[in-house]
Amino acid sequence: MQAQRRVALISVHGDPAATIGAEQAGGQNVYVREVGRHLAALGHQVDMFTRRISPDQPEIVQIAPGCRVVRLAAGPLEYTSRDHLYQYLPAFVTSLLQFVKKQRLSYEAVHTNYWLSGQVGLMLREVLHIPQIHTYHSLGAVKYLNVTEIPSVAKTRLKIEKAILETAERVVATSPQEEAHMRQYVSRAGRIDVIPCGVDIENFQPVDRSAARKQLGWGEDEKILFYVGRFDRRKGIETLVRAAARLSYPVRLVIGGGFTKDRGDGLERERIGQIVESLGLAERTVFPGRLDQEDLATYYSAADATVVPSHYEPFGLVAVEAMACGTPVVASKVGGLCYSIVHEETGLLVPPRDEMQFAEAFDRILTNPALRDKLGEASIRRIHNHFTWAGVSRQLGNLYKRLAVESNSQRSSVA
Ligand code: UDP
């Protein structure tokens, strides 16, 4: 009988079983959950390790056959911003090793996510001697070019991001643009494979536009722009609002995503609300709050365009989800968005922060339903050909296997 292939995915701050759209849970949580689920469907045994943030949380959650989330004690049992988690990483490693020992587990590979988990991987490899695969999700070196307030942990983060690239058996860039950033800003050393993010195409399918609008209570003839995601300055929601205000006809703006009052995302939500008010758009703007993944296909399909106005975006799941639903995306010409979106073919790419050009792109789609539909149809084809979680997970599973074989043969040639 063939031994079951067991892999560990580590996501210290992005719990794959978290409610997406709340408590800063976004793309990374979805990535780890979907990769885990799909690897399990391919026959892997998958353990996804994350930090426990509440005494009420179950320690183990089985999210699919062969795929479970293991929440480890490391630091306070409460939400802690990712900028303050570094100090708890040694405790995370200790808890993980205890779990592995108690359950007598051994892994073929460990796939770490974001620099915090990457550091966990660097510590684990000293003990477990298994290949480490790493996905950054965000690169400090690029992120800090785009923000005004640099956190005190920045120096540590940059040092660790470099060590990961130079040490891990493989780094996964989710777009060729991310790979170029790694080479330009992180290190020339280290091995990188490009494997994109994906979409759950069972969930993200086109819904008839009129039916979707009816369900949401939106008018058949309204012009509708949709944003969904975290409230974070780097998401550029302000550009969307200011660009919409430049249009000479009424537009309904739908800005979805959860937030917590007085936290970073709550403050950004408040700031965006004030800009909406000051531009006289309050009556036509809706903030529906956190949206369930199951409901999102209806929102994407009901909109004329989905807008992703980020200042920096390593990949950008929202763009591919909207495309899978046949909705064109107007996005900033940055990072992975230049990979998923083909300008003029599946959507429109615009320089980040450029409200004039965003307004022009909105106008082209809102006043030309034939263009909207053409871009939307090409989007669906592009997603089905290149960006499904099933395809992505197959590539990752093959990579783990190759690296495990290489590492075994290296060890046996040393022995
Ligand atoms: N999301 C959601 N509901 C919300 C807000 C966001 O389900 O209310 C999901 C969204 O569908 C996407 C993810 O959160 O799957 C955001 O990922 P993306 O890569 O666009 O941004 P990130 O969070 O990584 O910056």
Side-chain angles (χ1 to χ4, degrees), residues 20-22 24-28 30 137 204 228-230 234-235 256-258 289-293 296 300 308 313-319 321:
I20 308 300
Q24 296 282 356
Q28 180 175 327
V30 173
H137 295 276
F204 293 102
V228 63
R230 292 180 299 113
R234 85 147 164 93
K235 291 288 182 182
R290 191 187 74 75
L291 299 173
D292 272 333
Q293 293 254 291
L296 272 173
Y300 288 130
V308 186
E313 198 63 80
F315 186 79
L317 285 177
V318 162
E321 291 167 358

Side-chain angles (χ1 to χ4, degrees), residues 218-234:
W218 303 348
E220 177 79 30
D221 299 321
E222 280 187 273
K223 298 189 191 313
I224 301 173
L225 296 172
F226 179 54
Y227 167 91
V228 63
R230 292 180 299 113
F231 281 92
D232 184 320
R233 272 203 187 208
R234 85 147 164 93

Side-chain angles (χ1 to χ4, degrees), residues 186-238:
V186 183
S187 178
R188 302 297 307 168
R191 280 158 297 179
I192 303 173
D193 277 9
V194 177
I195 302 179
C197 293
V199 188
D200 176 355
I201 54 172
E202 308 255 305
N203 184 46
F204 293 102
Q205 295 191 22
V207 176
D208 174 72
R209 182 176 293 107
S210 304
R213 287 187 171 200
K214 211 175 208 167
Q215 193 182 327
L216 297 172
W218 303 348
E220 177 79 30
D221 299 321
E222 280 187 273
K223 298 189 191 313
I224 301 173
L225 296 172
F226 179 54
Y227 167 91
V228 63
R230 292 180 299 113
F231 281 92
D232 184 320
R233 272 203 187 208
R234 85 147 164 93
K235 291 288 182 182
I237 308 171
E238 178 173 355

Side-chain angles (χ1 to χ4, degrees), residues 7-142:
V7 293
L9 304 188
I10 301 183
S11 180
V12 175
H13 84 278
D15 184 338
T19 307
I20 308 300
E23 293 280 10
Q24 296 282 356
Q28 180 175 327
N29 308 62
V30 173
Y31 177 95
V32 179
R33 185 191 71 199
E34 292 302 315
V35 166
R37 263 184 353 110
H38 285 83
L39 283 170
L42 291 169
H44 292 72
Q45 291 290 315
V46 184
D47 289 338
M48 305 188 285
F49 293 98
T50 191
R51 198 180 80 86
R52 198 160 171 230
I53 62 164
S54 152
D56 305 329
Q57 283 184 316
E59 285 174 57
I60 298 191
V61 186
Q62 194 76 37
I63 65 164
C67 178
R68 61 185 175 171
V69 174
V70 181
R71 296 189 174 120
L72 300 172
L77 285 176
E78 62 188 19
Y79 170 82
T80 307
S81 139
R82 63 187 87 170
D83 286 341
H84 297 104
L85 285 177
Y86 179 66
Q87 57 191 310
Y88 305 121
L89 299 183
F92 189 93
V93 171
T94 304
S95 293
L96 195 155
L97 289 172
Q98 275 166 359
F99 181 86
V100 167
K101 193 167 168 204
K102 206 161 129 205
Q103 299 234 346
R104 297 164 181 269
L105 301 169
S106 67
Y107 296 103
E108 173 182 79
V110 55
H111 184 160
T112 54
N113 294 274
Y114 195 64
W115 72 274
L116 293 165
S117 311
Q119 169 67 4
V120 167
L122 292 178
M123 292 192 262
L124 280 178
R125 46 186 297 129
E126 307 288 325
V127 189
L128 297 179
H129 307 292
I130 49 173
Q132 178 182 5
I133 295 90
H134 182 73
T135 306
Y136 284 103
H137 295 276
S138 159
L139 284 171
V142 184

Side-chain angles (χ1 to χ4, degrees), residues 233-259:
R233 272 203 187 208
R234 85 147 164 93
K235 291 288 182 182
I237 308 171
E238 178 173 355
T239 308
L240 157 64
V241 175
R242 293 195 182 281
R246 289 180 169 271
L247 295 170
S248 57
Y249 40 82
V251 177
R252 184 195 280 268
L253 266 188
V254 183
I255 303 178
F259 56 89

